[in-house]
Amino acid sequence: MKNIKELIIVGAGIAGVSAAVYAKRSGLDFLIFEPSAVGGQLLSMQAIDNYVGLGLEAKASQMAENLAQTLKDLDIHPVNEKVAKISHQDEILNIDTDKGIYQAKVVIAATGASFTRLGLEQEAEFTGKGISYCAVCDGFFFKGKDVAVVGGGNTAVEEALYLSQIARKVTLVHRRDKLRALEYLQKQLLAKDNVEIIYNSIVVKPQGQQFLESVLIEDVLTKNKRRLDLNGLFIAIGISPATEVFKELVSLDDKGFIITDEEMKSSLDLIWACGDCRRRPLKQLITAASEGAVAAISVYKYLKGYYISV
Amino acid sequence: MKNIKELIIVGAGIAGVSAAVYAKRSGLDFLIFEPSAVGGQLLSMQAIDNYVGLGLEAKASQMAENLAQTLKDLDIHPVNEKVAKISHQDEILNIDTDKGIYQAKVVIAATGASFTRLGLEQEAEFTGKGISYCAVCDGFFFKGKDVAVVGGGNTAVEEALYLSQIARKVTLVHRRDKLRALEYLQKQLLAKDNVEIIYNSIVVKPQGQQFLESVLIEDVLTKNKRRLDLNGLFIAIGISPATEVFKELVSLDDKGFIITDEEMKSSLDLIWACGDCRRRPLKQLITAASEGAVAAISVYKYLKGYYISV
């Protein structure tokens, strides 16, 4: 068995990297695990215009590179292994990866989440070029333009409401004959002049040259297809946190997100969480970065014995 | 009376600017008030090496400029007025400034806080050049070097403990003959090999060419002075949130910080808070930026009637 680390951070998206920066600066003995490249969801994003300090013209790929460089500069080298299982014996966590076994006093979960895809051909190619999974992230790019939202739950209706303040027109495309969203959200949506709802329909094909220009939608009853011209397509059919290895250890909410307090501590003292795998009011790069910092410093205080809950 | 704004943000430090960015992108009708320059505490800081995405070589002055530019680019123009009084009548807030009267449905407090200064000659000149008020912010710059902490309360002892992991030697200088910090914090400090405590002493003079090289300390009983060679001086004698105009309206903690929930809502639905004026686990630029974003989006949902507390 290797030596027991004070901390293992699982995931090197922006939350994990921020945690690593603060852990390093605190002098903690830690590792960070990341089976793929540093950057997490940044790797599939394009522009970033809402991360204060970076200006309005930042590129996601550059930010991902910047995070990787920051780790390098701080002599932090991500362990390229996938965590398969975590268990705990007394006050020590055992972490099994696809390549080895590790032990740590504390784990910070920074494993992120992934949006459910529609599964369309070219969905990936158009992501960041018209297709988005987050209205608060990308809505502003479509100011005065036409967008559609796919889905019928609370998130889809919230996204449509949010976009109705920014876009010229919002079309909500839902595969069933009624929405699942809460009644009062539906009422608000129906009161909007610039929102149209198309029921019993699915998006079958995104179309466009470099950027999205239209989608083909199909009526699921008649099988008729028609073209809907638009600039943006927001897909809001679900999000899955990558919390599989934590689910036996800590309390999750009904969607699988890790529940923590404001210091990022989960229901088990040994597991802390930050970023998209955590239940939180706002999923953004800036909130993930902040939570990574809070998690690391809170863990530091916890390990050093002067943790005082706010 | 002018038209009623949906939102007024008070303060254009990083928290207020982040709130403004998200408010703008949400299409809210809002103003941001700032009696001095955009940037808040950034204006008196030097280097920033822990704001992920900016790399390790960022300059505070550049970041302040970047924030001002971001506001300009988004066509947000801070109102150069100082808020003197806030009151509310039914569901509307009346905001009196030194120059005018405004009304808003919601106020976001982003007024910051200021560290208590020792009041030394040249204290301001050496700030960021050896003198600091925040170990988590600046401790890493003093890796392997000698530092002193001034103070005797919980914060001073916590800062000394934090620095003892990073610095070669930490000297705690306290003006009384015993510490005020919690017993268990004191015990930990006494157990450290690289920490020395000098009681009954005050720092009377910072010295150095471009950067701090030593301080003169004076024994308050004997009035004897001596030189303490060091690279960093951390002053931890207090912090005052700028929450005077809010104190009659919302719940504050015992130090005057505004108490909020995780969505940044205070005890009064009409007042929200973010950044250093708010009680929170970690005071950092990245947490302030995050809280500004959360506050704006939560306020947006509240105003639009689809606020769901997490």
Side-chain angles (χ1 to χ4, degrees):
Chain A
M1 190 59 66
K2 297 179 186 177
N3 64 325
I4 299 172
K5 291 285 164 188
E6 289 184 294
L7 168 65
I8 284 179
I9 299 166
V10 185
I14 191 165
V17 170
S18 188
V21 166
Y22 276 81
K24 182 73 181 191
R25 289 161 47 96
S26 304
L28 286 176
D29 178 29
F30 74 102
L31 293 174
I32 178 167
F33 287 69
E34 173 56 62
S36 63
V38 169
Q41 289 182 50
L42 281 167
L43 300 168
S44 57
M45 290 167 60
Q46 303 277 327
I48 303 168
D49 73 344
N50 57 3
Y51 193 90
V52 291
L54 285 189
L56 301 176
E57 310 266 305
K59 288 202 170 53
S61 57
Q62 272 176 11
M63 194 176 186
E65 275 170 39
N66 184 301
L67 297 185
Q69 188 60 45
T70 291
L71 293 184
K72 219 171 272 176
D73 290 345
L74 287 172
D75 203 22
I76 301 168
H77 305 282
V79 180
N80 199 222
E81 300 183 15
K82 186 170 171 56
V83 173
K85 187 170 187 290
I86 300 177
S87 57
H88 73 107
Q89 199 163 19
D90 305 321
E91 293 296 293
I92 298 296
L93 290 161
N94 296 304
I95 296 102
D96 297 0
T97 73
D98 51 354
K99 294 177 190 155
I101 299 171
Y102 299 83
Q103 288 193 316
K105 293 182 181 171
V106 167
V107 160
I108 292 179
T111 45
S114 52
F115 292 103
T116 308
R117 314 281 160 183
L118 280 178
L120 305 176
E121 248 182 76
Q122 293 196 285
E123 185 170 349
E125 290 94 309
F126 278 112
T127 297
K129 292 175 180 166
I131 291 185
S132 168
Y133 300 83
C134 173
V136 172
C137 308
D138 300 324
F140 201 61
F141 295 125
F142 301 95
K143 196 170 161 68
K145 297 186 173 174
D146 293 348
V147 300
V149 175
V150 180
N154 289 337
T155 303
V157 173
E158 279 194 5
E159 302 244 312
L161 282 166
Y162 184 87
L163 290 165
S164 73
Q165 303 284 116
I166 301 166
R168 194 184 72 91
K169 186 181 174 191
V170 179
T171 306
L172 183 68
V173 181
H174 183 43
R175 63 190 168 137
R176 300 193 194 282
D177 62 355
K178 52 172 164 275
L179 303 175
R180 277 181 299 111
L182 294 168
E183 192 63 31
Y184 81 99
L185 288 175
Q186 292 192 37
K187 270 191 191 152
Q188 284 193 62
L189 195 67
L190 293 173
K192 293 282 180 188
D193 288 335
N194 63 338
V195 174
E196 181 189 356
I197 306 177
I198 302 181
Y199 294 101
N200 296 314
S201 295
I202 57 174
V203 172
V204 291
K205 192 164 187 252
Q207 300 177 130
Q209 295 299 322
Q210 207 191 334
F211 291 91
L212 190 66
E213 292 164 18
S214 65
V215 292
L216 275 190
I217 59 174
E218 180 184 293
D219 186 304
V220 293
L221 307 175
T222 65
K223 301 293 174 192
N224 287 340
K225 289 191 180 69
R226 64 173 164 129
R227 196 183 76 189
L228 186 64
D229 289 329
L230 46 67
N231 308 102
L233 181 72
F234 289 81
I235 298 170
I237 56 170
I239 181 167
S240 304
T243 53
E244 185 66 22
V245 298
F246 299 101
K247 70 177 185 188
E248 307 292 334
L249 298 166
V250 305
S251 298
L252 306 179
D253 75 2
D254 57 350
K255 288 180 180 155
F257 293 97
I258 297 172
I259 297 170
T260 76
D261 61 17
E262 209 185 349
E263 273 112 322
M264 310 300 146
K265 182 153 63 91
S266 80
S267 57
L268 179 69
D269 269 12
L270 314 178
I271 310 265
W272 305 56
C274 55
D276 275 356
C277 67
R278 171 187 172 254
R279 186 176 68 165
R280 57 216 256 260
L282 183 63
K283 287 185 198 314
Q284 292 284 283
L285 287 169
I286 198 77
T287 56
S290 169
E291 292 169 23
V294 172
I297 295 298
S298 300
V299 163
Y300 171 84
K301 291 184 177 177
Y302 169 79
L303 287 170
K304 302 303 177 186
Y306 59 103
Y307 179 70
I308 307 172
S309 185
V310 169
Chain B
M1 189 59 67
K2 298 181 188 179
N3 64 326
I4 298 170
K5 291 285 164 189
E6 290 185 294
L7 169 66
I8 283 179
I9 300 166
V10 185
I14 191 166
V17 171
S18 188
V21 167
Y22 276 80
K24 182 74 181 189
R25 290 161 47 95
S26 303
L28 286 176
D29 178 30
F30 73 101
L31 293 174
I32 178 166
F33 287 69
E34 173 56 62
S36 65
V38 170
Q41 288 182 52
L42 281 167
L43 300 168
S44 58
M45 290 167 59
Q46 304 277 325
I48 302 168
D49 74 343
N50 57 4
Y51 193 90
V52 290
L54 285 189
L56 301 175
E57 311 265 307
K59 289 202 168 55
S61 57
Q62 272 176 10
M63 194 176 186
E65 276 170 40
N66 184 299
L67 297 185
Q69 189 60 48
T70 290
L71 293 184
K72 219 170 274 176
D73 291 345
L74 287 172
D75 203 23
I76 301 167
H77 305 282
V79 180
N80 199 223
E81 301 182 16
K82 187 170 171 55
V83 173
K85 186 169 186 291
I86 300 177
S87 58
H88 73 107
Q89 199 164 14
D90 304 320
E91 292 297 292
I92 299 294
L93 291 162
N94 297 303
I95 296 103
D96 298 0
T97 74
D98 51 355
K99 295 178 191 156
I101 299 171
Y102 299 83
Q103 289 193 314
K105 293 182 180 170
V106 168
V107 160
I108 292 179
T111 45
S114 52
F115 293 103
T116 308
R117 315 280 159 183
L118 280 177
L120 304 177
E121 248 182 76
Q122 291 196 288
E123 186 170 348
E125 289 93 307
F126 279 112
T127 297
K129 292 174 180 168
I131 291 185
S132 168
Y133 299 83
C134 172
V136 172
C137 308
D138 300 325
F140 200 62
F141 295 125
F142 301 95
K143 196 170 160 70
K145 298 186 172 174
D146 292 349
V147 300
V149 176
V150 181
N154 288 338
T155 303
V157 173
E158 279 194 5
E159 301 244 313
L161 282 167
Y162 184 87
L163 290 164
S164 72
Q165 303 284 116
I166 301 166
R168 195 185 71 90
K169 187 181 172 189
V170 180
T171 306
L172 183 69
V173 180
H174 184 42
R175 62 190 169 137
R176 302 193 192 282
D177 61 356
K178 52 172 167 274
L179 303 175
R180 277 180 301 109
L182 293 168
E183 192 63 30
Y184 80 99
L185 289 174
Q186 292 193 36
K187 270 192 191 152
Q188 284 193 61
L189 195 68
L190 295 171
K192 294 281 179 189
D193 289 335
N194 63 338
V195 174
E196 182 188 356
I197 305 177
I198 302 181
Y199 293 101
N200 295 316
S201 294
I202 57 175
V203 171
V204 291
K205 192 164 188 250
Q207 300 177 129
Q209 295 298 323
Q210 207 193 332
F211 291 91
L212 189 68
E213 291 164 18
S214 66
V215 293
L216 274 190
I217 60 174
E218 179 182 295
D219 187 304
V220 294
L221 306 175
T222 64
K223 303 290 174 193
N224 286 339
K225 289 192 181 67
R226 64 171 163 127
R227 195 183 76 188
L228 186 64
D229 290 328
L230 48 68
N231 309 99
L233 181 71
F234 288 82
I235 299 169
I237 56 170
I239 180 167
S240 303
T243 53
E244 185 66 21
V245 296
F246 299 101
K247 72 176 184 191
E248 307 291 336
L249 297 166
V250 304
S251 298
L252 306 179
D253 75 1
D254 57 349
K255 288 180 179 154
F257 293 97
I258 297 172
I259 297 171
T260 77
D261 60 17
E262 209 185 348
E263 274 112 321
M264 312 298 148
K265 182 153 62 92
S266 81
S267 56
L268 179 69
D269 270 11
L270 314 178
I271 310 265
W272 304 57
C274 54
D276 275 358
C277 67
R278 170 187 173 254
R279 184 176 69 164
R280 56 215 256 259
L282 182 63
K283 287 184 197 316
Q284 292 284 285
L285 288 170
I286 197 77
T287 56
S290 168
E291 292 168 24
V294 172
I297 295 298
S298 300
V299 163
Y300 171 83
K301 291 184 178 178
Y302 169 79
L303 287 170
K304 301 303 175 187
Y306 60 101
Y307 178 70
I308 308 172
S309 185
V310 168

